[in-house]
Amino acid sequence: MTPRTAPTTYRVKSFGCQMNAYDGTRMGELLAAQGLVPAAEGEEGELVVLNTCHIREKAAEKVYSDIGRLVKAGREAGKAPMIAVAGCVAQAEGEEIMARAPAVSMVVGPQAYHRLPEMLGHAVAGRRVTDTEMPAIAKFAALPERRRIAPAAFLTVQEGCDKFCTYCVVPYTRGAEISRPYVDLVREALTLVEAGAKEITLLGQNVSAWCGEDGKGRAVGLAGLIRDLAAIDGLARIRYTTSHPADMDDALIAAHGEVDKLMPFLHLPVQAGSDRVLRAMNRSHTAESYLRLLERFRAARPDIALSGDFIVGFPGETEADFAETLALVEEVGYAQAFSFKYSPRPGTPAATMDGQIAAEIMDDRLQRLQTLLNRDQYAFNRATSGKACEVLVERRGKLPGQWLGKSPWLQSVWFEGDCAIGDIVSVTLGEAGPNSLAGAIIPVS
Ligand code: SAH
Ligand code: SF4
Ligand code: F3S
């Protein structure tokens, strides 16, 4: 590659999970600290960072089509953008990307993006660079202070996964489980609140495995961290995601009953309802142990909204196995959920298992599962209609005077009235739709 002028504008496009969204925000902050400015609305930017996801096949293929589109648009405009590929595809297929996509100047893994400024220097000098090292958590210390933040902010507390579910790439792309130190998290949470955050969602591929030592040297788990963050003035709401059933402890369950700022919502992926399939997936729970766990959360916080993840068509899944997934859904009554067709990922044990399921069978099962999940989500929304609750105002709605925010149960609520982004308003939930509810602000008397 020949040397080029340094980019002055950037755009970071994040795909995949919320941890990737967090990383995307932090990469933007890092580039801004180098003097780059975000590209104007509708423009790509002179530097485009594709912050990719590798969890399913479509997600990975999308990277190459995005690169192709950027190259074509650049050619038409007579000015090719500099392209960086970050995230989990970068980690898993860095070399392949460099070989297959000559337009890419930088490939940077999820644990190495604090080195972006240095890499940018190389790229401007015309050298293509790859960094997919996994230095244990060094990046956080090297990132700039957090400034202007949306009212609902993310805070990564834990990274990586040691669970090795047989279908999943995350242990390979994100590395081993690491907890960020307690003091760093409290400091970052304080900065977020000072910068305008009213709600913080604690993130981790396995967030409930977080552990650390508090300021007094005592061992604390996620529940202890939540309790201490709840003491921050100005922070109104705390959430966390994603948990694994194996790491949920009594303290976390108790916190749901005792910490007002901890929102009544739990995302706890189950994946399947058949114990035979769960064993083949290397999930350490059974359908029964998962259901008993949810019961304990419901006992601590009766109004808790439940969410889950599901995979249909795992190798060897029979119709009878799938029926057990449907039965589990019937029993739980989820407020929302994510469901996916199994996607074989290179290098994972399940990709070479016998009994890979035909696409049409997966389509059919996904459709049947989603019919139930959608029905339950709609029912949950209707059941909350008429309730009064607080809503954090996150953005303007489509119509003039309209606002959008989230209920404590993570439902999208839209309403009209006199308020501003970042306000917490009392609302009566009204008409329920499948994906959102109308609300009416309760006048302060
Ligand atoms: N750490 C979280 C989330 C992992 S990825 C957890 O364990 O719950 C998010 C979801 O993607 C998973 O819960 C799973 O439902 C889905 N997923 C992961 N690998 C997949 C694959 N190979 N095919 C289809 N879905 C997959
Ligand atoms: Fe993947 Fe399983 Fe780890 Fe979740 S717990 S990230 S599904 S390996
Ligand atoms: Fe995707 Fe990586 Fe997250 S594979 S789901 S971006 S951890």
Side-chain angles (χ1 to χ4, degrees), residues 161 163-165 167-168 170-171 205-206 244 271 283:
C161 182
K163 298 282 187 288
F164 290 94
C165 301
Y167 49 80
C168 183
V170 171
Q205 265 91 24
N206 244 315
H244 187 287
Q271 314 301 357
R283 301 287 294 183

Side-chain angles (χ1 to χ4, degrees), residues 15-17 20 52-55 88 169-170 173-174 205:
F15 307 93
C17 61
N20 236 26
T52 59
C53 171
H54 201 238
I55 203 85
C88 289
V169 290
V170 171
T173 61
R174 295 277 172 160
Q205 265 91 24

Side-chain angles (χ1 to χ4, degrees), residues 7 128 136 142 257 288 312 438:
R128 303 175 82 204
E288 187 63 22
V312 301

Side-chain angles (χ1 to χ4, degrees), residues 5 20 30 47 84 94 107 135 150 176 182 227 287 300 302-304 312 344 347 363 397 438 442:
T5 44
N20 236 26
L30 198 56
L47 168 63
V107 164
Y182 173 95
R227 283 178 194 271
D303 72 337
I304 199 162
V312 301
D363 286 335
I442 303 170

